Amino acid sequence: MSAPEQDAAARAAELGQRVDVASARVLATAAGISDEQAREPSALPGWSRGHVLTHLARNADGLRNLLVWARTGIVTPQYPSVQARNDEIEAGADRPARELVVDFADAATAFSAEAAQLRNADWTAEVRAIRGAAHPAWYTLWRRLFELEIHHVDLDAGYRPVDWPAEFAQQCLHEATASFTGPDSPAALLRATDDGREHRIGPPEAEPTITITGPSHAVVAWLLGRSDGSSLTPTPAGPLPPVPPW
């Protein structure tokens, strides 16, 4: 096995374990949601908790398609189209809570079962999701972990950014900043107090005009629109700058 294959397989094994743990946490939360609560608004505008759980189930199906692509070499799109994805979420959102839970559990199990079939070399195969650039198959597991952790918070059922594992929050902050380099992003330095790392957002040529300090989970929650950032410390003092939708 080559060094790149060995590295990819190791990343996949580690991420796969974290995905399974995150799935179990979502499942535990979902199991406590009643039919009435499933139809109540989630933290995402326009979506109920049923929408969020259905999205997580269909996301598992879609990302499993990318693993099939990596394993077989046959191009297998994540979704037939953006419209098909949206239609499936809408069609499943109003189901009884028990059906939502079973659907999520079955989809999560199928995703992990497919991941277990990939050989070491398969994890270096390039695949492409419905949005974004092509990436190696192992990164599909990071995408799934991200969806699980972020949307677990969006269920608005007791799981909060502070509950994110520290490793996830730190990695998520590092990954997310790459999406905030356009002209509509403020030029800011983000300083994480838990691991001491600094991240820049805003146009690459612009010098930061503000430093925003706080633990990784709080910084990334604000950056991704999951918090108002009231626990963060801006320097100089004043309101936090607006950031574009993630």
Side-chain angles (χ1 to χ4, degrees):
M1 181 169 51
S2 68
E5 291 173 355
Q6 187 173 15
D7 180 61
R11 287 174 184 242
E14 186 262 342
L15 284 167
Q17 292 177 352
R18 292 165 64 188
V19 165
D20 288 344
V21 171
S23 292
R25 284 197 296 264
V26 172
L27 187 59
T29 296
I33 293 174
S34 67
D35 287 348
E36 181 180 1
Q37 290 169 330
R39 289 169 174 76
E40 291 174 350
S42 71
L44 287 177
W47 270 18
S48 67
R49 293 189 179 98
H51 282 93
V52 175
L53 286 172
T54 302
H55 165 59
L56 283 174
R58 300 293 73 76
N59 173 261
D61 293 343
L63 293 180
R64 177 164 55 87
N65 286 339
L66 301 189
L67 298 182
V68 171
W69 179 350
R71 178 173 58 82
T72 65
I74 299 171
V75 175
T76 312
Q78 181 180 10
Y79 302 108
S81 68
V82 172
Q83 188 60 52
R85 165 196 176 273
N86 295 342
D87 289 346
E88 285 196 339
I89 293 171
E90 198 61 43
D94 288 337
R95 291 173 294 170
R98 177 60 183 166
E99 289 186 25
L100 293 167
V101 169
V102 170
D103 184 25
F104 170 83
D106 288 348
T109 297
F111 177 84
S112 293
E114 181 58 41
Q117 294 190 59
L118 269 68
R119 299 153 299 196
N120 290 335
D122 296 335
W123 293 112
T124 62
E126 275 207 342
V127 297
R128 183 185 295 273
I130 199 164
R131 295 190 180 96
H135 57 75
W138 69 262
Y139 192 78
T140 305
L141 296 172
W142 168 257
R143 297 182 73 118
R144 179 59 179 166
L145 181 63
F146 179 89
E147 293 285 329
L148 287 163
E149 291 291 355
I150 299 299
H151 289 312
H152 195 172
V153 169
D154 292 335
L155 279 174
D156 196 22
Y159 193 75
R160 300 287 181 259
V162 71
D163 298 315
W164 286 330
E167 185 179 15
F168 170 78
Q170 292 159 9
Q171 290 178 335
C172 187
L173 180 56
H174 175 71
E175 293 271 340
T177 52
S179 299
F180 293 88
T181 58
D184 54 347
S185 293
L189 181 68
L190 310 180
R191 182 173 292 153
T193 55
D194 49 318
D195 65 359
R197 296 177 70 181
E198 295 182 341
H199 310 266
R200 287 180 59 165
I201 60 172
E205 69 278 3
E207 286 298 316
T209 58
I210 186 172
T211 298
I212 300 169
T213 304
S216 294
H217 75 265
V219 178
V220 76
W222 165 72
L223 195 61
L224 299 185
R226 268 66 184 183
S227 162
D228 63 5
S230 57
S231 65
L232 301 174
T233 303
T235 307
L240 295 172
V243 290
W246 178 79

